[in-house]
Amino acid sequence: MYMNVFYIPYLLLSMKIVHVVEPFASGIATFVRSLVENLQEDLHIIVHGEREQVMKSAVVKQHFPKDNVRFIRWKSAQREISLRKDTVAFIELYNILRRLKKQFSIDAVHLHSSKSGFLGRLACKMAGINTVIYTPNGAPFLVKGTRFTNYLYKQLEKLGSVFGGQVVCCSPSEWQAYKALGINAVNINNGVAIRKDLIKSKSNPLITKRNTNELVVMPKVAGGVLPKLSPTARPPKFRVVTSGRIEDQKNPALFNAIARYFEEFSDFEFCWVGDGILRQQLTSKNIIITGWLSSEESMRLIAEADLYLSTSLFEGLPFSVLEALSLKKPVLLTDCVGNRDIVNKGLNGNLFRNEDEAIVKILQYYNNQDMLKVMGEYSRQHCLQEFDVRSTFASYRDLYKS
């Protein structure tokens, strides 16, 4: 069935790696694309689902290399837990993997995200595929849902580990979470390429000039009076940016609450690069929603911002934040798994626990923009030392070989 999909030259590539991806969009798609781009001597076969409400797979594929990658649609894959639908998805995935095993000498199967990880490990075990790697990229049991939901996710992760495969966490705090469950895992930090061409002064048309004679006095929040804005002249608007799917995990309601505090002041602009099913929660008048942009356009907007803000409930190790570090951006992140592995307090940014803490920090940054430049330099240095894409994917290739 698949013989006409691949050509003989692909058989000459060094290793044959199958990636199984249910949410083929956003951060996970970025992760898989990075693997493909940095392991160019290998053939990558991507078995993927479709989330059209986030981003069509045809659009995602356009950003992948052409020479060493082929795609197979996993038609029955879907996000929700459903015994009937997941059984159908499992049978389809098992048949795909079994046929690929007959056609190639598969070196490794890499499973991305929790649904792929559970169904994929069972399918690999039944198909007799031994080298299996599972990267959660955000542990599902860290979702702040009901006790039953979290318990269910924990039990599914434990059961999935019985099927075999190596769990690879992408941050130390995620690794600690799996260790606490009694699941054997290793940690390989996510990594990004360091670019110089996007680091420049602000020039994007989203930015507008402010009235430099304006003097504003900040109202009160719980715990006291916040710092006043400096009345001295400022350059273009102070832009706070975030990036990703507008969904529960990213906590858009908190992003909106923070932005709403600054709504009456023309000095501030908030930008969400991306889109999603919860965009209606972003109602503050000073928020710009860009929709889905190319990787180049997204990085340019981040490069031209003053501060990167993450309001996520949990993360693996978010690529968008790592890219912000590489572009010399200070970061202000919720104190959660994944995020806390990125921040060196006061050096490249800060963590916050609630809306008020975030507002206080934003005002401090606004009034000390020379400090932001120093923090941005440290962000880039920190990224080079801890999140270099070259060491990340060299480690993954070693796992594929083993």
Side-chain angles (χ1 to χ4, degrees):
M1 178 176 179
Y2 291 98
M3 285 302 293
N4 63 341
V5 177
F6 307 102
Y7 300 95
I8 294 298
Y10 295 114
L11 301 179
L12 303 179
L13 290 167
S14 179
M15 297 179 72
K16 286 75 180 177
I17 304 159
V18 178
H19 300 271
V20 181
V21 192
E22 182 274 309
F24 195 42
S26 197
I28 292 178
T30 299
F31 178 58
V32 177
R33 188 182 75 237
S34 296
L35 281 166
V36 172
E37 290 173 344
N38 287 277
L39 301 177
Q40 295 184 5
E41 68 272 32
D42 303 314
L43 171 63
H44 300 264
I45 305 166
I46 299 175
V47 181
H48 65 89
E50 179 87 39
R51 287 195 188 177
E52 288 191 358
Q53 72 275 21
V54 178
M55 184 178 288
K56 292 184 178 180
S57 61
V59 176
V60 178
K61 292 176 187 177
Q62 292 175 4
H63 302 288
F64 276 74
K66 301 294 189 292
D67 296 335
N68 66 329
V69 61
R70 284 296 177 265
F71 299 94
I72 298 174
R73 174 76 185 276
W74 185 12
K75 297 179 181 178
S76 54
Q78 42 80 46
R79 180 180 184 181
E80 291 74 21
I81 295 178
S82 165
L83 181 60
R84 181 182 64 82
K85 292 181 179 179
D86 288 339
T87 300
V88 174
F90 164 75
I91 293 171
E92 182 188 1
L93 180 59
Y94 167 73
N95 287 330
I96 290 172
L97 293 175
R98 187 180 61 174
R99 283 193 286 265
L100 288 174
K101 183 186 176 185
K102 288 182 179 179
Q103 184 176 353
F104 296 100
S105 175
I106 295 176
D107 293 283
V109 174
H110 194 162
L111 309 167
H112 305 268
S113 82
S114 56
K115 177 66 71 74
S116 302
F118 184 84
L119 298 181
R121 281 180 286 182
L122 178 57
C124 286
K125 186 175 182 65
M126 292 184 63
I129 299 171
N130 297 320
T131 305
V132 181
I133 295 151
Y134 163 46
T135 304
N137 262 314
F141 54 84
L142 297 174
V143 179
K144 293 184 179 179
T146 65
R147 283 188 179 181
F148 174 76
T149 301
N150 287 346
Y151 175 80
L152 176 62
Y153 279 129
K154 287 179 180 179
Q155 299 313 307
L156 289 174
E157 288 293 312
K158 289 180 179 180
L159 179 59
S161 67
V162 173
F163 301 147
Q166 176 65 65
V167 178
V168 181
C169 298
C170 60
S171 68
S173 56
E174 186 179 59
W175 175 77
Q176 288 288 350
Y178 273 87
K179 183 181 178 182
L181 278 184
I183 295 175
N184 181 40
V186 298
N187 177 64
I188 300 175
N189 283 344
N190 282 345
V192 294
I194 307 297
R195 296 179 56 175
K196 296 181 180 179
D197 57 314
L198 288 173
I199 299 175
K200 57 178 65 177
S201 60
K202 294 194 284 187
S203 60
N204 194 279
L206 283 177
I207 300 175
T208 57
K209 298 288 183 179
R210 70 181 291 275
N211 176 4
T212 56
N213 296 317
E214 187 178 15
L215 173 63
V216 292
V217 179
M218 306 305 290
K220 295 182 179 180
V221 296
V225 180
L226 292 173
K228 293 183 180 181
L229 294 178
S230 170
T232 58
R234 297 283 186 184
K237 286 188 178 184
F238 188 89
R239 184 192 294 177
V240 180
V241 67
T242 197
S243 177
R245 290 177 283 175
I246 310 175
E247 61 177 14
D248 287 332
Q249 180 206 342
K250 303 297 184 181
N251 201 358
L254 177 56
F255 186 89
N256 189 72
I258 295 168
R260 187 188 297 120
Y261 181 86
F262 298 94
E263 198 173 33
E264 63 184 282
F265 307 116
S266 61
D267 302 76
F268 293 91
E269 180 176 71
F270 289 75
C271 180
W272 192 301
V273 180
D275 211 334
I277 57 176
L278 297 182
R279 65 176 292 153
Q280 72 276 3
Q281 292 188 8
L282 300 175
T283 58
S284 183
K285 293 183 294 184
N286 56 359
I287 295 177
I288 297 168
I289 304 173
T290 67
W292 290 113
L293 304 175
S294 69
S295 176
E296 195 80 5
E297 291 170 321
S298 297
M299 289 186 71
R300 195 167 301 280
L301 279 176
I302 294 171
E304 293 171 342
D306 294 283
L307 174 69
Y308 191 96
L309 172 67
S310 168
T311 54
S312 294
L313 296 172
F314 70 96
E315 289 284 359
L317 195 68
F319 278 96
S320 57
V321 181
L322 298 185
E323 288 171 346
L325 295 186
S326 74
L327 295 170
K328 298 186 177 181
K329 298 297 113 179
V331 294
L332 181 61
L333 316 176
T334 44
D335 187 1
C336 69
V337 168
N339 279 350
R340 63 176 64 112
D341 301 298
I342 297 174
V343 172
N344 282 341
K345 184 178 179 181
L347 294 177
N348 70 325
N350 291 93
L351 299 171
F352 68 93
R353 293 167 294 181
N354 54 55
E355 172 188 341
D356 289 348
E357 288 185 2
I359 292 168
V360 169
K361 284 299 176 185
I362 291 172
L363 287 168
Q364 289 175 350
Y365 296 152
Y366 177 86
N367 284 321
N368 294 275
Q369 294 192 34
D370 288 339
M371 177 185 70
L372 287 188
K373 293 179 182 179
V374 176
M375 293 171 74
E377 292 292 340
Y378 188 86
S379 285
R380 186 174 175 84
Q381 179 185 346
H382 186 49
C383 191
L384 278 167
Q385 292 175 347
E386 301 294 336
F387 311 113
D388 188 341
V389 69
R390 291 169 295 183
S391 60
T392 293
F393 295 118
S395 299
Y396 271 108
R397 199 166 197 279
D398 289 342
L399 277 180
Y400 295 153
K401 288 180 180 179
S402 66

